Amino acid sequence: VDETMTIQYKTSIIEMETFLPIFQDTLSSRVTIEHSPLINTEDTVHDYRVDAMITSQSPLVADSLKVFWSIDDGSTFAEAPLQPEQPNHFVGWIPAQTSETTISYYIHAGAENGQWAADPWTGPEERHTFRVLLDETPPQINHEPIAIWTSAKWSPVITAEITDDLS
């Protein structure tokens, strides 16, 4: 039993010595994407801004930095480039759509070392989704009215909570 355990232990060390550098190299050279998905909107005029923080130890390939978007549930995709705005911060634009449109999208980035990433990570099979909706409900405004206020106390501070069903 001791010999078997010793052999297994030595095998594990050999495997660790062989694969740990490969694993560490893969982790240090991977591409990462951080993105907050877009939310439903009532805007049918302005393009939709897609922000992403993209990092890699290897230089990124500029023409691989893209947002792919679809309005037919992923049957077809259009693409838009992601442009650098600040170090590691990239911005792309999805064109404005008509009301009642569902937009699904994912982000893709690749590096010179061949590593790549998508967000969501299984894109294009999985995608972020948001809708352009007709807003028929006005915003709700809640505040405390000013009670008795004299000009000597001017300027009052007014606090209000404003909520909207779409944003």
Side-chain angles (χ1 to χ4, degrees):
V1 172
D2 288 338
E3 289 180 1
T4 303
M5 291 178 70
T6 304
I7 292 171
Q8 288 177 347
Y9 182 71
K10 288 182 180 179
T11 302
S12 296
I13 290 174
I14 293 169
E15 289 175 359
M16 286 292 284
E17 289 173 354
T18 303
F19 294 110
L20 188 59
I22 296 169
F23 181 70
Q24 287 174 329
D25 185 51
T26 300
L27 283 180
S28 67
S29 63
R30 68 187 175 132
V31 177
T32 60
I33 301 173
E34 294 178 38
H35 167 69
S36 295
L38 299 180
I39 61 172
N40 293 344
T41 183
E42 59 193 66
D43 190 347
T44 60
V45 177
H46 302 98
D47 294 347
Y48 312 115
R49 180 183 171 113
V50 178
D51 287 276
M53 295 295 293
I54 304 173
T55 57
S56 174
Q57 293 297 323
S58 178
L60 295 169
V61 178
D63 66 358
S64 77
L65 307 175
K66 297 178 182 180
V67 56
F68 292 88
W69 58 274
S70 174
I71 56 172
D72 59 10
D73 199 29
S75 294
T76 59
F77 286 93
E79 63 184 61
L82 292 170
Q83 300 294 330
E85 189 167 82
Q86 296 175 9
N88 300 326
H89 180 203
F90 297 84
V91 175
W93 298 89
I94 296 173
Q97 301 294 316
T98 59
S99 188
E100 303 304 317
T101 301
T102 299
I103 303 165
S104 59
Y105 70 96
Y106 69 98
I107 298 168
H108 181 270
E112 289 180 2
N113 65 359
Q115 297 285 321
W116 61 272
D119 186 83
W121 71 277
T122 57
E125 290 80 21
E126 216 177 301
R127 300 169 297 281
H128 298 296
T129 301
F130 70 100
R131 295 187 62 208
V132 181
L133 302 168
L134 180 60
D135 190 2
E136 297 176 342
T137 306
Q140 298 294 314
I141 304 173
N142 298 317
H143 70 93
E144 291 290 326
I146 297 175
I148 300 171
W149 201 265
T150 64
S151 60
K153 293 182 177 179
W154 202 256
S155 291
V157 174
I158 301 172
T159 304
E161 180 182 313
I162 304 168
T163 57
D164 188 58
D165 63 331
L166 293 182
S167 57

